[in-house]
Amino acid sequence: MRARFERWSRVPRDTMQRKFPLLAFGDHAAGDVPVESVRAVESPVRVILYLHGGAFVFGSPASYRNRAMRLSYRCNAEVFVPDYRLAPEHHYPAALDDALAAWRLVERLRNGRSLFVAGDSAGGGLCLSLLLTLRDLGLDMPDGSLLISPWTDLTVSGPSVDANAGKDLWFTRKHLETWADYYAGPSDRRSPYLSPVFAELSELPPLLLLAGEDELLLDDALRVRDAAARTGTEACVHLGRGMQHDWPLTLPWLEESRLAWKTICRFFDEH
């Protein structure tokens, strides 16, 4: 699966730069964690730490270059994408530890800038786990967080997992249960750092969650919004009517995706 995903999504830097001459890449290291930076605008006004999706099992900065470039260009941002460790070779908390190391790196490199964390799918859930970790350690928070189709419940207990079975063209319950087992290993899947849908969400920065109406993970976003509201944390869900998992990233030409990107840019501008 990793190899297929990389063949489908990976784009060499020089190929992208021939098409977009102003595109700039950088190589960084957060301890042992490689981090790639992407800048598609000359003078970005904000910095985004982006945690890629891939069910904690696949995905990389190289396979997310196109997506990071679009995020940089559309949102006038410099984007940092860490190559966090993947399961099943590396169980929880490996990905979370790497995300924390990447945050500390970006905060040090771009101190004084407007900083956000963002991610999709497993990376979206990992963003929320990172925010909880920063809060609980008493560390500085980002200005806000964007969570696209986040996977926040590794117990796979959301009602939409069954309600949207057959509507979701990407996943099945079996996929989610298998991948959750790969990442969680022997850990309790109800741990708030593994399944932040069960966390107490007070004192977090503003959250923008995107969810497709027909995806299995719909309730992973809706329940986070509701849990955040109960604690006074600002959280808003942008619902893609009739949309699938990660639709603004996988189908960016749709009118629904253009609307989602406008919502994303407005969120960054407002915070």
Side-chain angles (χ1 to χ4, degrees):
M1 180 172 285
R2 270 187 211 154
R4 288 197 303 270
F5 189 82
E6 291 296 317
R7 284 197 302 269
W8 174 54
S9 301
R10 187 184 186 99
V11 184
R13 290 180 177 182
D14 56 354
T15 300
M16 297 177 68
Q17 287 173 315
R18 282 197 297 269
K19 187 174 182 180
F20 305 103
L22 296 181
L23 188 61
F25 295 97
D27 294 301
H28 314 273
D32 294 330
V33 184
V35 181
E36 181 173 281
S37 62
V38 181
R39 193 179 71 244
V41 292
E42 187 173 354
S43 301
V45 300
R46 59 184 58 91
V47 177
I48 300 172
L49 173 65
Y50 194 89
L51 304 177
H52 68 75
F56 297 107
V57 175
F58 53 96
S60 68
S63 58
Y64 263 71
R65 279 186 187 131
N66 262 323
R67 298 178 180 189
M69 177 185 67
R70 288 200 298 269
L71 183 64
S72 173
Y73 180 75
R74 292 173 184 269
C75 300
N76 199 2
E78 183 179 21
V79 180
F80 288 78
V81 186
D83 195 10
Y84 62 82
R85 287 170 290 173
L86 299 175
E89 298 92 332
H90 304 285
H91 293 312
Y92 165 84
L96 180 55
D97 289 344
D98 291 353
L100 177 59
W103 166 255
R104 285 173 160 154
L105 169 74
V106 171
E107 190 180 33
R108 184 173 68 252
L109 291 177
R110 300 295 183 262
N111 185 35
R113 303 284 296 278
S114 179
L115 301 178
F116 294 83
V117 295
D120 68 284
S121 196
L126 188 57
C127 280
L128 197 51
S129 298
L130 174 60
L131 295 180
L132 295 170
T133 302
L134 295 175
R135 181 197 66 186
D136 295 346
L137 292 176
L139 301 177
D140 290 338
M141 288 282 196
D143 295 309
S145 185
L146 165 67
L147 315 176
I148 302 173
S149 292
W151 188 18
T152 65
D153 179 8
L154 270 68
T155 71
V156 196
S157 62
S160 57
V161 173
D162 293 321
N164 280 344
K167 296 180 184 177
D168 190 316
L169 304 179
W170 287 102
F171 306 134
T172 66
R173 170 180 283 279
K174 181 63 175 177
H175 285 118
L176 297 178
E177 290 175 344
T178 299
W179 294 330
D181 185 57
Y182 285 164
Y183 179 54
S187 300
D188 179 5
R189 296 184 197 182
R190 287 187 64 91
S191 162
Y193 300 117
L194 260 173
S195 297
V197 73
F198 301 118
E200 197 276 328
L201 300 179
S202 64
E203 300 179 57
L204 299 185
L207 308 175
L208 173 62
L209 303 102
L210 277 69
E213 184 181 29
D214 290 345
E215 66 170 306
L216 297 192
L217 300 183
L218 170 62
D219 283 316
D220 283 42
L222 298 182
R223 288 181 293 158
V224 166
R225 176 200 60 191
D226 295 343
R230 288 194 293 271
T231 67
T233 291
E234 178 186 334
C236 178
V237 170
H238 176 93
L239 182 65
R241 298 291 180 185
M243 291 293 100
Q244 294 287 320
H245 182 74
D246 265 6
W247 83 99
L249 302 176
T250 58
L251 304 167
W253 55 85
L254 294 181
E255 180 60 33
E256 292 87 348
S257 296
R258 289 195 288 268
L259 178 60
W261 279 108
K262 289 179 181 177
T263 301
I264 291 168
C265 294
R266 185 166 59 248
F267 173 78
F268 287 134
D269 287 340
E270 290 175 351
H271 296 92

